[in-house]
């Protein structure tokens, strides 16, 4: 074998695993992103770090550098229900950051002993005796093969590792669309929008560094049409869009059943969104990417003789928590339940207006 471990994808999950693995392993990590701030693939993201992700950073003894943060830091989310016309303000302790800078920073923390191939696409993962053969295309468009004992699929929502090795384990995927506008609102705000006529998931807006980012997650075939329809509706609710400066699109996993989560087998491991680890109620996924990578690193570092079984078992609490998010999502996207929750005014903060 050329390597002990091959990590496919260096988002938060892959970077965290590469950082936490013992230096005794020979590790290679492949990632399609470029190492520059402006060019190449940028992951569409709200760039909000929730409490759970902040907790993972505490555990991993990491602090967020200030140059990754964005302005302003907003402590509430205005929730709109377009069916009942209810609007509620809920407190949230999110840290707002620039997602691409965040990814590059996480990559910069990977020890130099790990071989990193940037701008490299993994094309195939093939079973061979005692391990796997990985075929990849490097930045010069040349094809190469390497062999490895373990493969880690950290390649996100449209994971090639999951699709190739577990084609029977499909998972519900939606299309996330985000558009960037110059922020013309008198007061920057973050919002969460429910509109069952547009999607049975949800939409959001975020004010960041002078931009107003509007996004939503929609069933694949009708995504563009529903996104535009929702914008038209919100324009009548005080949202100011103007001319889009940038449009981003990507697949996002939207888990629906406990069986949607898949941790891998036969020396293949899935971590982060590739495993289906993302909250169905908020589409928050960074905390699960960090946590699943940390769990796997501990198992591999300990030399456990049955790492797949152990990873499956130790992610049970994480998967149960994610299942509770599926239940929460079903409640929040059901108009009657949502109305009752919002009408109850639980955790609602009334805003103070100077007249
Ligand atoms: C629009 C949107 C907004 C979101 N907002 C938030 C938010 O505010 N807060 C939050 O916590 N979560 C948010 N999420 C979820 C979060 O972005 C993901 O759950 C998280 O990025 C998952 O991390 P990951 O490392 O598993 O995968 P990813 O971050 O998707 O990383 C996968 C990496 O693998 C690489 N890759 C993919 N295929 C290959 C291949 N074949 N070969 C080589 N490399 C490959 C990609 O380039 C990428 O770098 C959002 C998601 C979307 C879609």
């Amino acid at each position: 074998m050329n390597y002990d471990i091959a990590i496919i994808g260096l988002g938060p999950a892959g970077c965290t695993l590469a950082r936490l693995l013992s230096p005794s392993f020979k590790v290679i990590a492949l990632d399609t992103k470029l190492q520059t701030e402006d060019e190449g693939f940028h992951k569409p993201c709200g760039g909000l770090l929730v409490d759970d992700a902040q907790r993972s950073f505490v555990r991993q003894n990491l602090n967020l550098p200030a140059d990754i943060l964005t302005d302003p830091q907003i402590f509430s989310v205005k929730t709109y229900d377009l069916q009942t016309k209810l609007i509620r303000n809920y407190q949230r302790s999110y840290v707002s950051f620039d997602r691409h800078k965040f990814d590059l920073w996480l990559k910069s923390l990977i020890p130099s002993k790990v071989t990193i191939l940037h701008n490299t696409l993994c094309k195939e993962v093939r079973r061979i005796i005692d391990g796997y053969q990985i075929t990849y295309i490097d930045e010069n468009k040349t094809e190469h093969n390497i062999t490895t004992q373990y493969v880690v699929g950290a390649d996100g929502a449209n994971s090639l590792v999951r699709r190739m090795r577990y084609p029977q384990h499909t998972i519900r995927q939606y299309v996330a669309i985000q558009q960037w506008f110059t922020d013309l609102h008198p007061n920057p705000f973050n919002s969460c929008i429910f509109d069952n006529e547009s999607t049975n998931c949800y939409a959001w807006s975020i004010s960041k560094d002078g931009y107003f980012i509007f996004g939503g997650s929609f069933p694949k075939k009708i995504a563009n049409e529903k996104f535009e329809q929702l914008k038209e509706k919100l324009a009548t609710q005080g949202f100011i869009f103007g001319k889009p400066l940038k449009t981003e699109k990507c697949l996002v996993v939207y888990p629906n059943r406990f069986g949607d989560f898949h941790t891998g087998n036969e020396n293949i491991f899935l971590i982060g969104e590739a495993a289906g680890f993302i909250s169905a109620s908020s589409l928050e996924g960074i905390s699960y990417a960090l946590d699943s990578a940390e769990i796997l690193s501990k198992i591999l570092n300990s030399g456990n003789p049955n790492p797949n079984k152990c990873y499956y078992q130790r992610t049970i609490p994480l998967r149960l928590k994610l299942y509770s998010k599926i239940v929460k999502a079903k409640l929040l996207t059901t108009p009657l339940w949502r109305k009752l929750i919002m009408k109850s005014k639980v955790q609602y903060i009334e805003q103070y207006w100077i007249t």
Side-chain angles (χ1 to χ4, degrees):
M1 292 292 142
N2 304 130
Y3 292 92
D4 299 314
I5 303 170
I7 303 173
I8 315 301
L10 286 176
C15 285
T16 302
L17 181 71
R19 176 167 47 83
L20 297 178
L21 281 173
S22 156
S24 62
F25 289 119
K26 202 170 170 209
V27 182
I28 185 166
L30 320 178
D31 189 48
T32 45
K33 278 196 302 289
L34 294 178
Q35 267 309 83
T36 59
E37 282 203 5
D38 306 322
E39 295 168 315
F41 174 72
H42 287 204
K43 167 93 183 170
C45 184
L48 299 174
L49 206 65
V50 304
D51 284 355
D52 283 346
Q54 295 169 29
R55 214 169 291 127
S56 307
F57 277 130
V58 175
R59 255 197 337 268
Q60 294 173 18
N61 203 11
L62 277 186
N63 297 312
L64 216 55
D67 65 350
I68 286 173
L69 302 182
T70 48
D71 181 49
Q73 296 291 322
I74 297 173
F75 303 121
S76 73
V77 171
K78 212 174 258 202
T79 302
Y80 291 76
D81 181 343
L82 296 197
Q83 265 66 61
T84 55
K85 310 255 182 290
L86 287 171
I87 303 173
R88 294 281 184 264
N89 232 336
Y90 295 105
Q91 185 180 0
R92 293 286 179 267
S93 51
Y94 298 150
V95 172
S96 178
F97 61 92
D98 180 312
R99 173 62 198 258
H100 192 59
K101 283 188 187 167
F102 176 79
D103 279 358
L104 294 183
W105 168 67
L106 280 178
K107 254 188 175 184
S108 75
L109 301 177
I110 299 174
S112 56
K113 195 164 178 282
V114 174
T115 305
I116 304 181
L117 302 182
H118 306 288
N119 198 8
T120 296
L121 177 80
C122 173
K123 209 179 130 196
E124 192 179 22
V125 177
R126 199 148 57 88
R127 189 89 169 101
I128 52 171
I129 299 166
D130 291 341
Y132 291 90
Q133 177 179 285
I134 308 265
T135 306
Y136 65 86
I137 300 172
D138 72 9
E139 53 191 340
N140 303 316
K141 307 288 169 239
T142 313
E143 197 167 295
H144 303 268
N145 291 318
I146 49 144
T147 54
T148 175
Q149 185 186 358
Y150 296 123
V151 179
V152 180
D155 46 350
N158 199 26
S159 169
L160 169 121
V161 180
R162 182 168 175 150
R163 279 184 287 123
M164 278 205 115
R165 302 305 312 172
Y166 311 110
Q168 71 285 16
H169 279 279
T170 53
I171 182 164
R172 182 169 64 166
Q173 289 174 326
Y174 271 30
V175 173
I177 306 179
Q178 277 199 156
Q179 272 185 341
W180 293 54
F181 306 89
T182 304
D183 197 353
L184 300 173
H185 298 90
N187 199 21
F189 69 105
N190 291 347
S191 77
C192 164
I193 304 123
F194 292 99
D195 176 35
N196 289 75
E197 288 168 9
S198 306
T199 177
N200 62 343
C201 193
Y202 82 108
W204 57 86
S205 75
I206 297 155
S207 293
K208 238 181 229 281
D209 286 341
Y211 295 105
F212 184 65
I213 305 166
F214 174 69
S217 180
F218 306 88
K220 279 185 193 171
K221 283 187 185 150
I222 48 170
N224 289 334
E225 178 197 332
K226 292 294 176 187
F227 179 76
E228 290 303 328
Q229 270 177 19
L230 186 55
K231 264 170 56 189
E232 277 174 31
K233 280 189 191 182
L234 290 171
T236 65
Q237 304 279 321
F239 283 62
I240 308 169
F241 293 110
K243 194 169 174 287
L245 304 171
K246 177 163 79 167
T247 302
E248 306 171 315
K249 264 190 211 177
C250 70
L251 288 174
V252 63
V253 160
Y254 187 27
N256 192 30
R257 306 165 287 141
F258 193 73
D260 279 349
F261 309 121
H262 192 49
T263 54
N265 57 26
E266 297 183 335
N267 288 348
I268 293 187
F269 304 89
L270 298 176
I271 59 175
E273 211 175 320
F277 295 163
I278 183 168
S279 161
S281 62
S282 63
L283 299 186
E284 184 276 316
I286 293 176
S287 70
Y288 302 100
L290 300 175
D291 288 356
S292 55
E294 188 183 319
I295 294 170
L296 182 60
S297 71
K298 285 180 183 156
I299 295 166
L300 293 176
N301 289 347
S302 71
N304 189 298
N306 197 344
N308 276 111
K309 188 173 171 205
C310 193
Y311 180 57
Y312 176 80
Q313 286 170 341
R314 290 210 201 149
T315 49
I316 288 173
L318 192 145
R319 283 180 284 133
L320 286 173
K321 185 168 155 195
L322 283 163
Y323 184 69
S324 75
K325 303 290 181 187
I326 293 178
V327 176
K328 184 175 172 190
K330 287 188 196 295
L331 291 176
L332 289 176
T333 54
T334 304
L336 180 64
W337 280 111
R338 189 168 63 236
K339 184 175 165 185
L340 290 173
I341 294 165
M342 289 179 76
K343 280 241 168 194
S344 75
K345 292 197 176 180
V346 173
Q347 294 186 346
Y348 158 64
I349 300 179
E350 200 138 358
Q351 280 196 319
Y352 176 63
W353 299 104
I354 301 167
T355 49

